[in-house]
Protein backbone atom coordinates (compact mmCIF):
# COMPACT_ATOMS: atom_id res chain seq x y z
CA UNK A 1 0.00 0.00 0.00
CA UNK A 2 1.26 3.46 -0.88
CA UNK A 3 0.81 5.97 1.88
CA UNK A 4 1.88 9.57 2.01
CA UNK A 5 1.70 12.22 4.62
CA UNK A 6 2.12 15.86 3.92
CA UNK A 7 2.72 19.16 5.60
CA UNK A 8 1.31 22.21 3.87
CA UNK A 9 3.98 24.77 4.42
CA UNK A 10 2.90 28.38 4.06
CA UNK A 11 5.18 31.38 4.26
CA UNK A 12 3.85 34.89 4.08
CA UNK A 13 6.52 37.54 3.58
CA UNK A 14 6.02 41.24 3.20
CA UNK A 15 8.51 43.49 1.47
CA UNK A 16 8.76 47.19 2.15
CA UNK A 17 11.12 49.60 0.51
CA UNK A 18 11.08 53.37 0.13
CA UNK A 19 11.57 55.07 -3.23
CA UNK A 20 12.77 58.61 -2.58
CA UNK A 21 12.71 61.37 -5.21
CA UNK A 22 15.36 64.00 -4.62
CA UNK A 23 18.18 66.12 -6.06
CA UNK A 24 21.89 66.11 -5.19
CA UNK A 25 21.91 63.01 -3.03
CA UNK A 26 25.45 63.69 -1.75
CA UNK A 27 24.80 67.30 -0.72
CA UNK A 28 25.79 67.42 2.99
CA UNK A 29 22.29 68.20 4.25
CA UNK A 30 20.38 65.72 2.05
CA UNK A 31 18.66 63.21 4.38
CA UNK A 32 17.65 60.68 1.68
CA UNK A 33 20.50 58.21 2.11
CA UNK A 34 20.86 58.37 5.93
CA UNK A 35 17.07 57.98 6.27
CA UNK A 36 17.06 54.83 4.16
CA UNK A 37 20.11 53.25 5.75
CA UNK A 38 18.78 53.80 9.29
CA UNK A 39 15.16 52.97 8.55
CA UNK A 40 15.19 49.82 10.68
CA UNK A 41 16.36 51.88 13.67
CA UNK A 42 19.40 49.69 14.30
CA UNK A 43 21.64 51.53 16.74
CA UNK A 44 25.04 51.11 15.10
CA UNK A 45 27.06 52.54 12.25
CA UNK A 46 26.33 50.71 9.00
CA UNK A 47 29.02 49.33 6.71
CA UNK A 48 28.66 50.51 3.14
CA UNK A 49 30.20 49.53 -0.15
CA UNK A 50 29.58 52.13 -2.85
CA UNK A 51 29.68 51.24 -6.54
CA UNK A 52 29.48 53.57 -9.51
CA UNK A 53 28.74 53.06 -13.19
CA UNK A 54 31.74 54.37 -15.16
CA UNK A 55 29.36 56.49 -17.28
CA UNK A 56 28.31 58.34 -14.13
CA UNK A 57 31.91 58.94 -13.05
CA UNK A 58 32.74 60.29 -16.52
CA UNK A 59 29.73 62.60 -16.49
CA UNK A 60 30.31 63.72 -12.88
CA UNK A 61 34.09 63.60 -12.32
CA UNK A 62 33.95 64.57 -8.61
CA UNK A 63 31.24 62.06 -7.69
CA UNK A 64 33.41 59.50 -5.86
CA UNK A 65 34.92 62.25 -3.70
CA UNK A 66 31.46 63.71 -3.05
CA UNK A 67 30.22 60.30 -1.88
CA UNK A 68 33.28 59.86 0.34
CA UNK A 69 32.90 63.25 2.03
CA UNK A 70 29.19 62.58 2.52
CA UNK A 71 29.96 59.29 4.26
CA UNK A 72 32.75 60.92 6.31
CA UNK A 73 30.33 63.59 7.44
CA UNK A 74 28.09 60.96 9.10
CA UNK A 75 30.49 58.82 11.19
CA UNK A 76 27.75 57.85 13.64
CA UNK A 77 25.75 56.30 10.78
CA UNK A 78 28.19 55.12 8.14
CA UNK A 79 31.43 53.15 7.95
CA UNK A 80 33.03 52.66 4.58
CA UNK A 81 33.79 48.96 3.84
CA UNK A 82 36.31 49.94 1.16
CA UNK A 83 36.99 52.66 -1.40
CA UNK A 84 34.24 53.12 -4.02
CA UNK A 85 34.29 50.66 -6.91
CA UNK A 86 33.82 51.86 -10.49
CA UNK A 87 32.33 49.37 -12.94
CA UNK A 88 32.12 49.87 -16.70
CA UNK A 89 28.47 50.52 -17.52
CA UNK A 90 26.26 49.67 -20.48
CA UNK A 91 24.84 46.42 -21.88
CA UNK A 92 28.32 44.88 -22.18
CA UNK A 93 28.54 44.57 -18.39
CA UNK A 94 25.60 42.15 -18.58
CA UNK A 95 27.18 39.73 -21.02
CA UNK A 96 27.58 36.57 -19.01
CA UNK A 97 28.46 36.03 -15.35
CA UNK A 98 32.01 37.38 -15.43
CA UNK A 99 31.26 40.80 -13.95
CA UNK A 100 28.79 39.39 -11.40
CA UNK A 101 31.45 36.97 -10.14
CA UNK A 102 34.07 39.72 -9.92
CA UNK A 103 31.67 41.89 -7.91
CA UNK A 104 30.80 38.98 -5.62
CA UNK A 105 34.51 38.58 -4.93
CA UNK A 106 34.84 42.30 -4.20
CA UNK A 107 31.91 42.12 -1.79
CA UNK A 108 33.28 39.05 -0.01
CA UNK A 109 36.79 40.56 0.17
CA UNK A 110 35.25 43.64 1.75
CA UNK A 111 33.74 41.23 4.31
CA UNK A 112 30.17 42.36 3.78
CA UNK A 113 27.53 40.61 5.87
CA UNK A 114 23.81 40.46 5.16
CA UNK A 115 23.42 43.51 7.36
CA UNK A 116 25.81 45.62 5.29
CA UNK A 117 24.82 47.78 2.37
CA UNK A 118 25.78 47.86 -1.26
CA UNK A 119 24.94 51.22 -2.79
CA UNK A 120 24.93 51.14 -6.58
CA UNK A 121 24.63 54.30 -8.70
CA UNK A 122 24.26 53.74 -12.41
CA UNK A 123 22.22 52.72 -15.42
CA UNK A 124 19.85 49.76 -15.42
CA UNK A 125 22.40 47.38 -16.96
CA UNK A 126 24.92 48.20 -14.22
CA UNK A 127 22.17 47.91 -11.57
CA UNK A 128 21.14 44.51 -12.96
CA UNK A 129 24.69 43.25 -12.41
CA UNK A 130 25.31 44.88 -9.04
CA UNK A 131 21.85 43.74 -7.93
CA UNK A 132 22.54 40.17 -8.95
CA UNK A 133 25.89 40.10 -7.13
CA UNK A 134 24.26 41.64 -4.02
CA UNK A 135 21.49 39.02 -4.18
CA UNK A 136 23.99 36.16 -4.35
CA UNK A 137 26.59 37.18 -1.75
CA UNK A 138 25.62 35.46 1.51
CA UNK A 139 22.26 34.85 -0.25
CA UNK A 140 21.52 38.54 -0.16
CA UNK A 141 23.07 41.71 1.19
CA UNK A 142 21.10 44.93 1.40
CA UNK A 143 21.01 46.89 -1.84
CA UNK A 144 20.28 50.58 -2.24
CA UNK A 145 19.80 51.54 -5.88
CA UNK A 146 20.55 54.98 -7.23
CA UNK A 147 19.37 54.72 -10.85
CA UNK A 148 21.03 57.28 -13.11
CA UNK A 149 19.32 56.90 -16.50
CA UNK A 150 15.75 57.90 -17.34
CA UNK A 151 14.89 54.26 -18.09
CA UNK A 152 16.39 53.10 -14.80
CA UNK A 153 14.61 55.75 -12.69
CA UNK A 154 11.29 55.28 -14.45
CA UNK A 155 11.31 51.51 -14.79
CA UNK A 156 14.07 49.02 -13.95
CA UNK A 157 15.52 50.73 -10.89
CA UNK A 158 12.27 50.74 -8.91
CA UNK A 159 11.47 47.09 -9.65
CA UNK A 160 12.39 43.79 -8.03
CA UNK A 161 14.50 42.08 -10.70
CA UNK A 162 18.10 41.78 -11.77
CA UNK A 163 19.87 39.67 -14.36
CA UNK A 164 22.50 39.12 -17.02
CA UNK A 165 22.38 37.91 -20.61
CA UNK A 166 23.46 34.30 -20.67
CA UNK A 167 23.92 31.58 -23.30
CA UNK A 168 22.53 33.91 -25.95
CA UNK A 169 19.38 34.58 -23.93
CA UNK A 170 18.54 38.14 -22.87
CA UNK A 171 18.30 38.14 -19.05
CA UNK A 172 18.92 34.38 -19.17
CA UNK A 173 20.10 34.38 -15.53
CA UNK A 174 18.82 36.53 -12.73
CA UNK A 175 16.93 36.69 -9.47
CA UNK A 176 13.99 38.47 -7.94
CA UNK A 177 15.37 40.59 -5.14
CA UNK A 178 13.53 43.67 -3.83
CA UNK A 179 15.97 46.44 -2.91
CA UNK A 180 16.36 47.89 0.59
CA UNK A 181 15.62 51.31 -0.87
CA UNK A 182 15.81 53.38 -4.04
CA UNK A 183 16.87 56.98 -4.50
CA UNK A 184 15.78 58.63 -7.75
CA UNK A 185 18.06 61.67 -7.89
CA UNK A 186 17.02 63.81 -10.85
CA UNK A 187 20.33 65.68 -10.95
CA UNK A 188 21.99 62.57 -12.41
CA UNK A 189 19.72 62.77 -15.44
CA UNK A 190 21.05 66.16 -16.55
CA UNK A 191 24.10 64.59 -18.17
CA UNK A 192 22.16 62.10 -20.25
CA UNK A 193 22.55 62.37 -24.00
CA UNK A 194 19.29 62.70 -25.97
CA UNK A 195 19.46 59.03 -27.02
CA UNK A 196 19.36 57.90 -23.37
CA UNK A 197 16.40 60.14 -22.67
CA UNK A 198 14.37 58.86 -25.56
CA UNK A 199 14.86 55.28 -24.27
CA UNK A 200 13.14 56.31 -21.05
CA UNK A 201 10.35 57.89 -23.10
CA UNK A 202 9.88 54.56 -24.93
CA UNK A 203 9.21 52.71 -21.66
CA UNK A 204 6.88 55.55 -20.64
CA UNK A 205 4.76 55.05 -23.77
CA UNK A 206 4.71 51.33 -22.98
CA UNK A 207 3.35 51.66 -19.46
CA UNK A 208 1.02 54.59 -20.25
CA UNK A 209 -0.68 52.83 -23.14
CA UNK A 210 -1.70 49.86 -21.01
CA UNK A 211 -2.19 51.52 -17.63
CA UNK A 212 -3.00 55.22 -17.72
CA UNK A 213 -4.90 56.95 -20.54
CA UNK A 214 -4.40 60.41 -19.08
CA UNK A 215 -0.66 59.93 -18.87
CA UNK A 216 -0.64 58.53 -22.42
CA UNK A 217 -2.28 61.67 -23.80
CA UNK A 218 0.03 63.84 -21.70
CA UNK A 219 3.03 61.99 -23.20
CA UNK A 220 1.74 62.47 -26.75
CA UNK A 221 1.22 66.19 -26.09
CA UNK A 222 4.62 66.61 -24.44
CA UNK A 223 6.82 64.26 -26.49
CA UNK A 224 8.67 67.05 -28.31
CA UNK A 225 9.22 68.97 -25.06
CA UNK A 226 10.51 65.82 -23.36
CA UNK A 227 12.96 65.11 -26.15
CA UNK A 228 14.09 68.74 -26.13
CA UNK A 229 15.04 68.46 -22.46
CA UNK A 230 12.18 70.27 -20.69
CA UNK A 231 12.97 69.45 -17.08
CA UNK A 232 9.51 69.90 -15.62
CA UNK A 233 8.11 67.48 -18.17
CA UNK A 234 11.00 65.03 -17.67
CA UNK A 235 10.47 65.02 -13.91
CA UNK A 236 6.78 64.28 -14.40
CA UNK A 237 7.59 61.39 -16.74
CA UNK A 238 9.99 59.76 -14.28
CA UNK A 239 7.62 60.21 -11.35
CA UNK A 240 4.49 58.91 -13.09
CA UNK A 241 6.26 55.90 -14.63
CA UNK A 242 7.82 54.96 -11.30
CA UNK A 243 4.40 55.26 -9.61
CA UNK A 244 2.75 53.05 -12.23
CA UNK A 245 5.48 50.44 -11.85
CA UNK A 246 5.37 50.42 -8.09
CA UNK A 247 1.56 50.22 -8.13
CA UNK A 248 1.69 47.30 -10.52
CA UNK A 249 4.25 45.35 -8.50
CA UNK A 250 2.38 45.99 -5.24
CA UNK A 251 -1.13 45.29 -6.47
CA UNK A 252 -0.96 42.84 -9.37
CA UNK A 253 -0.86 39.92 -6.96
CA UNK A 254 2.17 38.59 -8.84
CA UNK A 255 5.26 40.61 -7.90
CA UNK A 256 7.61 37.75 -8.73
CA UNK A 257 5.94 36.89 -12.03
CA UNK A 258 4.89 33.36 -11.22
CA UNK A 259 1.84 33.60 -13.48
CA UNK A 260 1.76 34.13 -17.21
CA UNK A 261 0.40 37.65 -17.61
CA UNK A 262 3.27 40.16 -17.84
CA UNK A 263 1.73 43.53 -18.62
CA UNK A 264 5.03 45.36 -18.08
CA UNK A 265 6.49 43.24 -20.87
CA UNK A 266 4.13 44.80 -23.42
CA UNK A 267 6.08 45.15 -26.68
CA UNK A 268 9.00 43.18 -25.24
CA UNK A 269 8.71 39.82 -27.04
CA UNK A 270 9.99 41.48 -30.21
CA UNK A 271 12.18 44.03 -28.36
CA UNK A 272 14.25 41.33 -26.64
CA UNK A 273 14.60 39.40 -29.90
CA UNK A 274 15.62 42.56 -31.74
CA UNK A 275 18.27 43.39 -29.13
CA UNK A 276 19.69 39.88 -29.38
CA UNK A 277 19.52 39.77 -33.20
CA UNK A 278 21.43 43.05 -33.40
CA UNK A 279 24.04 41.78 -30.92
CA UNK A 280 22.84 44.60 -28.66
CA UNK A 281 23.69 47.32 -31.19
CA UNK A 282 20.04 48.34 -30.76
CA UNK A 283 19.48 49.57 -27.21
CA UNK A 284 16.75 48.16 -25.00
CA UNK A 285 14.77 51.42 -25.07
CA UNK A 286 14.90 51.80 -28.84
CA UNK A 287 13.89 48.16 -29.30
CA UNK A 288 10.97 48.70 -26.90
CA UNK A 289 9.76 51.67 -28.99
CA UNK A 290 9.64 49.49 -32.11
CA UNK A 291 8.07 46.58 -30.19
CA UNK A 292 5.36 48.77 -28.67
CA UNK A 293 4.45 50.33 -31.99
CA UNK A 294 4.38 46.93 -33.72
CA UNK A 295 2.03 45.42 -31.13
CA UNK A 296 -0.12 48.56 -31.20
CA UNK A 297 -0.51 48.25 -34.98
CA UNK A 298 -1.51 44.60 -34.44
CA UNK A 299 -4.00 45.71 -31.74
CA UNK A 300 -5.48 48.28 -34.13
CA UNK A 301 -5.82 45.64 -36.86
CA UNK A 302 -7.65 43.38 -34.40
CA UNK A 303 -10.02 46.18 -33.42
CA UNK A 304 -8.66 46.54 -29.86
CA UNK A 305 -7.16 49.98 -30.35
CA UNK A 306 -8.76 52.91 -32.20
CA UNK A 307 -6.90 54.07 -35.28
CA UNK A 308 -6.88 57.58 -33.86
CA UNK A 309 -5.02 56.36 -30.75
CA UNK A 310 -2.53 54.41 -32.85
CA UNK A 311 -1.84 57.53 -34.90
CA UNK A 312 -1.40 59.58 -31.72
CA UNK A 313 1.10 57.02 -30.44
CA UNK A 314 3.03 57.01 -33.71
CA UNK A 315 3.11 60.81 -33.83
CA UNK A 316 4.19 60.99 -30.17
CA UNK A 317 7.03 58.55 -30.75
CA UNK A 318 8.13 60.50 -33.80
CA UNK A 319 8.10 63.76 -31.86
CA UNK A 320 10.28 62.07 -29.22
CA UNK A 321 12.71 61.02 -32.01
CA UNK A 322 12.16 57.35 -31.23
CA UNK A 323 13.22 54.95 -33.95
CA UNK A 324 10.40 52.50 -34.63
CA UNK A 325 11.63 50.36 -37.47
CA UNK A 326 14.85 48.38 -37.87
CA UNK A 327 15.99 46.26 -40.84
CA UNK A 328 16.53 43.31 -38.45
CA UNK A 329 12.77 43.16 -37.87
CA UNK A 330 12.21 42.01 -41.43
CA UNK A 331 15.04 39.48 -41.75
CA UNK A 332 14.06 35.98 -42.82
CA UNK A 333 15.83 32.75 -41.92
CA UNK A 334 16.92 30.05 -44.39
CA UNK A 335 13.42 28.60 -44.37
CA UNK A 336 11.95 32.00 -45.28
CA UNK A 337 10.42 32.56 -41.81
CA UNK A 338 10.64 35.98 -40.18
CA UNK A 339 13.43 35.61 -37.63
CA UNK A 340 11.70 38.08 -35.32
CA UNK A 341 8.95 35.52 -34.67
CA UNK A 342 11.56 33.45 -32.84
CA UNK A 343 10.96 36.05 -30.12
CA UNK A 344 7.43 34.70 -29.65
CA UNK A 345 8.84 31.19 -29.23
CA UNK A 346 11.39 32.46 -26.68
CA UNK A 347 8.57 34.21 -24.84
CA UNK A 348 6.38 31.10 -24.90
CA UNK A 349 9.23 29.03 -23.52
CA UNK A 350 9.90 31.65 -20.86
CA UNK A 351 6.25 31.47 -19.79
CA UNK A 352 6.32 27.70 -19.41
CA UNK A 353 4.82 26.64 -22.72
CA UNK A 354 1.70 28.76 -22.97
CA UNK A 355 1.88 32.13 -24.61
CA UNK A 356 0.39 35.22 -22.99
CA UNK A 357 1.08 38.42 -24.84
CA UNK A 358 -0.07 41.80 -23.59
CA UNK A 359 -1.86 44.26 -25.84
CA UNK A 360 -3.66 47.52 -25.16
CA UNK A 361 -7.41 47.28 -24.95
CA UNK A 362 -8.29 50.87 -25.71
CA UNK A 363 -5.83 53.25 -24.17
CA UNK A 364 -5.14 52.57 -20.51
CA UNK A 365 -6.24 48.94 -20.27
CA UNK A 366 -4.68 45.59 -21.04
CA UNK A 367 -5.75 42.38 -22.67
CA UNK A 368 -3.81 39.13 -22.64
CA UNK A 369 -3.75 37.00 -25.77
CA UNK A 370 -2.76 33.33 -25.79
CA UNK A 371 -2.06 33.14 -29.47
CA UNK A 372 -0.80 35.47 -32.16
CA UNK A 373 -2.12 35.41 -35.69
CA UNK A 374 1.16 35.35 -37.61
CA UNK A 375 -0.49 36.47 -40.84
CA UNK A 376 -1.81 39.61 -39.14
CA UNK A 377 1.50 40.15 -37.34
CA UNK A 378 3.34 39.90 -40.67
CA UNK A 379 0.95 42.48 -42.11
CA UNK A 380 1.54 44.65 -39.02
CA UNK A 381 5.29 44.45 -39.64
CA UNK A 382 4.75 45.58 -43.24
CA UNK A 383 2.69 48.53 -42.02
CA UNK A 384 5.42 49.40 -39.53
CA UNK A 385 8.01 49.34 -42.30
CA UNK A 386 5.86 51.48 -44.57
CA UNK A 387 5.48 54.28 -42.00
N1 LIG B 1 15.77 44.61 -14.05
C1 LIG B 1 14.71 45.08 -14.67
O1 LIG B 1 13.59 44.99 -14.19
C2 LIG B 1 14.88 45.78 -16.00
C3 LIG B 1 13.78 46.48 -16.55
C4 LIG B 1 13.96 47.19 -17.74
C5 LIG B 1 15.21 47.18 -18.37
N2 LIG B 1 16.23 46.47 -17.82
C6 LIG B 1 17.55 46.44 -18.46
O2 LIG B 1 18.11 47.73 -18.45
C7 LIG B 1 19.12 47.79 -19.44
C8 LIG B 1 19.12 49.17 -20.08
O3 LIG B 1 19.45 50.10 -19.10
P1 LIG B 1 19.62 51.68 -19.36
O4 LIG B 1 18.66 52.09 -20.39
O5 LIG B 1 19.57 52.33 -18.03
O6 LIG B 1 21.04 51.79 -20.04
P2 LIG B 1 22.48 51.31 -19.57
O7 LIG B 1 22.51 50.88 -18.16
O8 LIG B 1 22.95 50.34 -20.60
O9 LIG B 1 23.33 52.66 -19.66
C9 LIG B 1 23.56 53.25 -20.90
C10 LIG B 1 24.84 54.11 -20.85
O10 LIG B 1 24.60 55.27 -20.07
C11 LIG B 1 25.68 55.46 -19.16
N3 LIG B 1 25.15 56.25 -18.05
C12 LIG B 1 24.48 55.83 -16.96
N4 LIG B 1 24.10 56.89 -16.22
C13 LIG B 1 24.53 58.01 -16.86
C14 LIG B 1 24.44 59.41 -16.59
N5 LIG B 1 23.77 59.87 -15.54
N6 LIG B 1 25.02 60.27 -17.48
C15 LIG B 1 25.65 59.82 -18.57
N7 LIG B 1 25.77 58.50 -18.88
C16 LIG B 1 25.21 57.62 -18.03
C17 LIG B 1 26.16 54.08 -18.85
O11 LIG B 1 27.50 54.07 -18.42
C18 LIG B 1 26.01 53.39 -20.21
O12 LIG B 1 27.15 53.64 -20.99
C19 LIG B 1 18.85 46.63 -20.37
O13 LIG B 1 19.84 45.65 -20.19
C20 LIG B 1 17.52 46.10 -19.92
O14 LIG B 1 17.36 44.71 -20.13
C21 LIG B 1 16.09 45.79 -16.65
ZN1 LIG C 1 11.91 47.22 -20.83
Amino acid sequence: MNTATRIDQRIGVEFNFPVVFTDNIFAPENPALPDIVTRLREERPHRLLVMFDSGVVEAFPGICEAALSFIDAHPEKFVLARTPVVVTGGEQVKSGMERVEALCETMLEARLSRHCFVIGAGGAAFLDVVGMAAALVHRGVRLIRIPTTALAQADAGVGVKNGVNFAGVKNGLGTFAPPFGVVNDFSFLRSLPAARWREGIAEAFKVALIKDARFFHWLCDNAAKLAAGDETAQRHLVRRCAELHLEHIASSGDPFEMGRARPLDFGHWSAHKLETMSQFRISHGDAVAAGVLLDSIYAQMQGWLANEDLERLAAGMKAAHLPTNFPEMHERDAAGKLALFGGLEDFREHLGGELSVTFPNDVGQVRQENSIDLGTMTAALKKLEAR
Side-chain angles (χ1 to χ4, degrees), residues 161 169 257 260-273 295 340-359 368-369 372:
K161 296 189 276 186
V169 182
E257 301 177 355
R260 293 214 161 80
R262 302 272 173 83
L264 297 180
D265 276 349
F266 167 41
H268 278 54
W269 68 264
S270 56
H272 283 166
K273 185 70 185 170
D295 283 359
L340 192 70
F341 289 167
L344 280 172
E345 280 319 303
D346 297 345
F347 210 54
R348 186 199 305 278
E349 211 178 282
H350 192 60
L351 296 178
E354 199 189 317
L355 203 57
S356 181
V357 184
T358 300
F359 289 95
Q368 296 298 136
E369 288 295 314
I372 298 293

Side-chain angles (χ1 to χ4, degrees), residues 91-92 165 170 195-196 198-199 271-287 323 325-331:
E91 192 70 26
Q92 200 46 38
N165 307 327
K170 172 82 185 170
R196 294 280 94 78
R198 75 175 187 231
E199 290 156 15
H272 283 166
K273 185 70 185 170
L274 194 51
E275 284 182 82
T276 317
M277 283 170 72
S278 74
Q279 260 113 49
F280 301 101
R281 179 187 62 77
I282 301 170
S283 72
H284 180 72
D286 284 354
N325 181 52
F326 294 95
E328 285 87 344
M329 299 178 87
H330 311 283
E331 271 173 19

Side-chain angles (χ1 to χ4, degrees), residues 129-194:
V129 168
V130 172
M132 190 158 163
L136 296 177
V137 166
H138 296 305
R139 303 196 176 94
V141 299
R142 297 172 180 180
L143 172 70
I144 298 178
R145 299 197 198 115
I146 307 177
T148 62
T149 62
L151 186 146
Q153 289 198 5
D155 188 306
V158 300
V160 294
K161 296 189 276 186
N162 57 55
V164 296
N165 307 327
F166 194 78
V169 182
K170 172 82 185 170
N171 300 325
L173 293 182
T175 76
F176 286 96
F180 193 86
V182 181
V183 182
N184 267 352
D185 177 344
F186 190 87
S187 52
F188 282 118
L189 304 188
R190 294 209 179 97
S191 58
L192 288 185

